[in-house]
């Protein structure tokens, strides 16, 4: 909203210019009678001063009257709201409400389905895909296959738990992974050893002696979160290190970087942006991607 001084400035400016246009139109109008000339002549051609055609004058009057009616009905004169009570916010709200009314029955139906029913329901999967493309594809990719630091949602690993409610909780509340940096505690040699051991867990090519040295360190520093077998812990979002599915790459350099500097992947919460039903449908869609 404008301050009232600006509002009055706009009101006065608008009304005065409308009145001035009417005055200009009638004050300068020449009327019928004999043909007048302006008195100018060039090369024998005289400039006439004929009256404006009446349709043209009335056209002008109509536009001014239209402007007056418009300004009474719609907001336009400073802060005056207009008798029609129209506002762009109001129109927006009405459109949203109409949209919600239209989709409410669909969301009510889909929001009550179980995971298996959602996956079997064509419209649930269509709505889920649409929601995914609008909200999730920027990070997880159009095909949900992720990229460096953003998990692939179509693979077999569920870092934060694979049951339907865990996936729902991930979307609703977001997730903050915390893998502390271990460079200072392990030193360069220790980092290399433990990273080599991690590669051995995943069945990747490695030096067995170095891995053996790394195992001892792993059992001290890493088991609390990744488990004695390296299979991870969904409560902490600590990934399974034995399955050759990687968030941050599997080369010795990449694993060493993760161990030395730590990682803190962040999945934003969607409970403010999406309804509970939308999250429910999305969870079904996301689960369907790896269930296929
Ligand atoms: C406090 C719990 C915790 C401890 C202790 C911990 N990690 Fe992690 N680790 C995590 C979490 C959580 C992630 C996931 C980070 C993310 O998603 O950003 C992770 C990620 C990783 C990754 C990346 C996996 C991938 O898919 O790219 C590797 C490798 C790893 N940790 C190795 C280790 C090693 C080796 C140690 C011991 C030196 C260790 N971690 C200690 C919690 C821990
Ligand atoms: C700003 C980027 C971003 C957006 C947008 C985003 N995510 Fe994520 N998501 C992440 C990151 C990063 C992680 C991994 C967090 C970690 O390191 O553990 C994640 C993790 C997940 C997981 C857990 C995967 C697992 O293996 O357990 C699911 C499920 C998920 N996201 C679904 C979604 C859905 C559905 C949406 C859309 C509503 C979405 N994400 C939007 C970044 C994003």
């Amino acid at each position: 909203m404008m301050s009232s001084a600006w509002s009055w400035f706009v009101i006065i400016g608008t009304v005065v210019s409308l009145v001035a246009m009417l005055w200009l139109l009638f004050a300068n109008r020449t009327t019928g009678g004999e043909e007048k000339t302006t008195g100018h002549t060039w090369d024998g051609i005289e400039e006439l001063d004929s009256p404006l055609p009446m349709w043209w004058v009335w056209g002008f009057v109509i536009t001014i009257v239209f402007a007056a009616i418009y300004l009474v009905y719609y907001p336009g004169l400073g802060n005056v709201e207009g008798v029609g009570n129209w506002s762009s916010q109001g129109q927006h709200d009405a459109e949203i409400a109409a949209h919600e009314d239209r989709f409410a029955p669909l969301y009510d139906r889909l929001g009550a389905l179980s995971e298996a029913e959602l996956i079997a329901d064509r419209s649930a999967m269509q709505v889920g895909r649409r929601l995914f493309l609008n909200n999730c594809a920027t990070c997880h990719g159009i095909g949900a296959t992720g990229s460096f630091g953003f998990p692939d949602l179509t693979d077999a690993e569920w870092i934060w738990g694979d049951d339907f409610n865990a996936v729902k909780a991930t979307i609703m509340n977001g997730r903050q992974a915390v893998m502390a940096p271990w460079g200072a505690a392990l030193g360069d040699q220790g980092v290399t050893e433990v990273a080599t051991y991690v590669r051995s867990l995943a069945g990747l090519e490695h030096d067995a002696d170095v891995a053996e040295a790394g195992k001892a360190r792993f059992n001290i520093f890493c088991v609390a979160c990744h488990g004695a077998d390296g299979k991870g812990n969904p409560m902490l979002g600590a990934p399974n290190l034995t399955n050759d599915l990687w968030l941050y790459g599997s080369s010795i350099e990449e694993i060493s970087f993760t161990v030395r500097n730590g990682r803190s992947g962040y999945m934003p919460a969607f409970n403010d942006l999406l309804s509970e039903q939308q999250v429910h449908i999305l969870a079904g869609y996301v689960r369907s991607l790896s269930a296929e």
Side-chain angles (χ1 to χ4, degrees):
M1 279 286 124
M2 287 173 266
S3 73
S4 69
W6 277 115
S7 174
W8 278 109
F9 178 77
V10 172
I11 293 172
I12 292 168
T14 311
V15 171
V16 165
S17 51
L18 282 178
V19 172
M21 277 193 277
L22 265 181
W23 173 81
L24 190 68
L25 184 64
F26 285 98
N28 286 335
R29 198 164 69 104
T30 48
T31 42
E34 88 263 29
E35 220 155 56
K36 294 179 193 150
T37 69
T38 56
H40 300 145
T41 333
W42 289 278
D43 289 348
I45 299 169
E46 286 191 322
E47 190 185 1
L48 294 181
D49 187 16
S50 307
L52 292 172
M54 279 321 277
W55 65 264
W56 203 89
V57 173
W58 283 115
F60 226 138
V61 171
I62 288 168
T63 57
I64 292 171
V65 170
F66 174 84
I69 294 173
Y70 182 95
L71 289 172
V72 169
Y73 191 80
Y74 287 109
L77 282 180
N79 285 338
V80 176
E81 283 173 9
V83 297
N85 257 333
W86 182 90
S87 70
S88 54
Q89 181 65 45
Q91 179 169 350
H92 175 80
D93 291 348
E95 280 168 17
I96 297 276
H99 177 88
E100 277 170 3
D101 281 353
R102 195 168 138 228
F103 288 105
L106 177 67
Y107 279 130
D108 285 346
R109 181 174 79 76
L110 300 180
L113 297 183
S114 70
E115 178 187 2
E117 288 166 337
L118 279 173
I119 295 177
D121 190 294
R122 261 196 78 203
S123 47
M125 291 299 97
Q126 278 169 349
V127 173
R129 179 163 169 76
R130 197 86 30 95
L131 289 168
F132 188 87
L133 292 178
N134 284 336
N135 296 284
C136 325
T138 31
C139 292
H140 292 283
I142 291 173
T145 47
S147 60
F148 188 89
F150 300 104
D152 182 343
L153 303 178
T154 69
D155 66 18
E157 178 169 5
W158 293 90
I159 304 167
W160 292 98
D162 68 349
D163 81 284
F164 185 65
N165 287 324
V167 174
K168 260 178 96 165
T170 298
I171 304 170
M172 284 290 257
N173 309 322
R175 298 287 191 183
Q176 173 68 68
V178 181
M179 156 89 187
W182 291 101
L186 292 169
D188 282 348
Q189 166 90 12
V191 168
T192 307
E193 287 170 2
V194 91
T196 306
Y197 177 63
V198 169
R199 277 178 61 84
S200 78
L201 287 174
L204 298 169
E205 181 256 307
H206 63 278
D207 181 311
D209 292 337
V210 182
E212 194 53 36
K215 180 176 183 177
R217 297 183 189 272
F218 188 91
N219 286 336
I220 299 169
F221 294 106
C222 322
V223 283
C225 298
H226 291 283
D229 54 4
K231 293 230 166 95
N233 181 349
M235 304 288 283
L236 301 168
N240 183 343
L241 302 175
T242 68
N243 59 9
D244 202 14
L245 295 169
W246 303 93
L247 209 44
Y248 300 109
S250 66
S251 70
I252 187 75
E253 291 80 15
E254 286 165 321
I255 295 177
S256 298
F257 188 97
T258 298
V259 174
R260 189 179 302 115
N261 304 301
R263 299 282 189 186
S264 47
Y266 168 67
M267 155 79 193
F270 278 85
N271 50 5
D272 285 344
L273 290 167
L274 299 172
S275 70
E276 213 260 321
Q277 289 165 331
Q278 288 174 317
V279 171
H280 187 83
I281 298 164
L282 255 176
Y285 174 74
V286 168
R287 291 283 298 146
S288 80
L289 298 172
S290 63
E292 277 165 354

